[in-house]
Amino acid sequence: MQWQTKLPLIAILRGITPDEALAHVGAVIDAGFDAVEIPLNSPQWEKSIPAIVAAFGDKALVGAGTVLKPEQVDVLAEMGCKLIVTPNIQPEVIRRAVALGMTVCPGCATATEAFDALDAGAQSLKIFPSSAFGPAYIKALKAVLPQDVPVFAVGGVTPENLREWIQAGCVGAGLGSDLYRAGQSVERTAQQAAAFVQAYREAVQ
């Protein structure tokens, strides 16, 4: 299994509104990101996601986060989403997304959950919340997982500590509040996106 984008960092824009979405997504893509997630607990995501797909679907893997039900996967597929991110392991959600040709990055914490996700067809895994477990936990978990499964750290990842997660065996990370907080300026988003891209490049040199 191989992660589909050139930069294995997922921009998580939780809380973004349709009016702001295009400007902030444009900023992270300009910084070098090519995977973007709009969580479904964001306001009017049903407007933001199709707009982002239309504007940037040829430049980035665009998708949704906090996906909990198979029915949501169907709606998102119709919108043109290519990425499904979940906070938990719901095999039916994973199977539905895989059947529709989407990339799935489900959230797990234990070896049992990780293997349940892989059995359902997940092509990658996110360890969530990573900050509660730490890099040493992920390193230990990676020891029993298939080596070719891309593992992402999500939760508490900053430009300053990204290197620790990469060294623990993560291919990359999902970046939430340290990249984007609801209401912040586009300039702040661009600044943080550039910091994360630089941190990643330095970590993998």
Side-chain angles (χ1 to χ4, degrees), residues 28 34 37 43 56 76 80 85 97 166 172-173:
V28 300
D34 52 3
E37 163 198 339
F56 301 109
L76 292 162
V85 183
I166 301 294

Side-chain angles (χ1 to χ4, degrees), residues 158-168 199 202-205:
T158 67
E160 292 74 28
N161 68 25
L162 179 59
R163 179 186 296 273
E164 298 172 30
W165 303 105
I166 301 294
Q167 290 174 339
E202 289 175 355
V204 297
Q205 279 181 352

Side-chain angles (χ1 to χ4, degrees), residues 94-113:
I94 297 170
R95 283 193 285 265
R96 184 75 61 87
V98 170
L100 291 168
M102 301 159 99
T103 297
V104 191
C105 190
C108 61
T110 66
T112 298
E113 292 174 342

Side-chain angles (χ1 to χ4, degrees), residues 21-22 26 41 47 82 91 94 122 125 132 135 143 163 165 168 183 185 187 204:
L22 293 182
N41 54 4
K47 292 185 179 179
K82 301 295 184 187
I94 297 170
L125 298 169
R163 179 186 296 273
W165 303 105
S185 68
E187 291 74 22
V204 297

Side-chain angles (χ1 to χ4, degrees), residues 32-109:
F33 279 73
D34 52 3
V36 178
E37 163 198 339
I38 306 297
L40 297 190
N41 54 4
S42 302
Q44 295 184 292
W45 59 267
E46 65 278 6
K47 292 185 179 179
S48 297
I49 291 175
I52 294 167
V53 169
F56 301 109
D58 59 338
K59 299 185 181 77
L61 189 67
V62 176
T66 319
V67 180
L68 302 174
K69 299 176 181 178
E71 301 78 51
Q72 293 172 326
V73 176
D74 293 338
V75 171
L76 292 162
E78 290 178 12
M79 291 179 175
C81 276
K82 301 295 184 187
L83 173 65
I84 295 293
V85 183
T86 75
N88 63 341
I89 301 305
Q90 175 54 262
E92 192 53 44
V93 168
I94 297 170
R95 283 193 285 265
R96 184 75 61 87
V98 170
L100 291 168
M102 301 159 99
T103 297
V104 191
C105 190
C108 61

Side-chain angles (χ1 to χ4, degrees), residues 114-149:
F115 282 104
D116 284 349
L118 296 175
D119 287 346
Q123 310 97 332
S124 59
L125 298 169
K126 82 173 193 185
I127 309 302
F128 175 80
S130 289
S131 57
F133 297 102
Y137 178 85
I138 291 181
K139 188 173 183 179
L141 187 60
K142 280 277 296 177
V144 300
L145 293 175
Q147 290 303 301
D148 63 341
V149 175

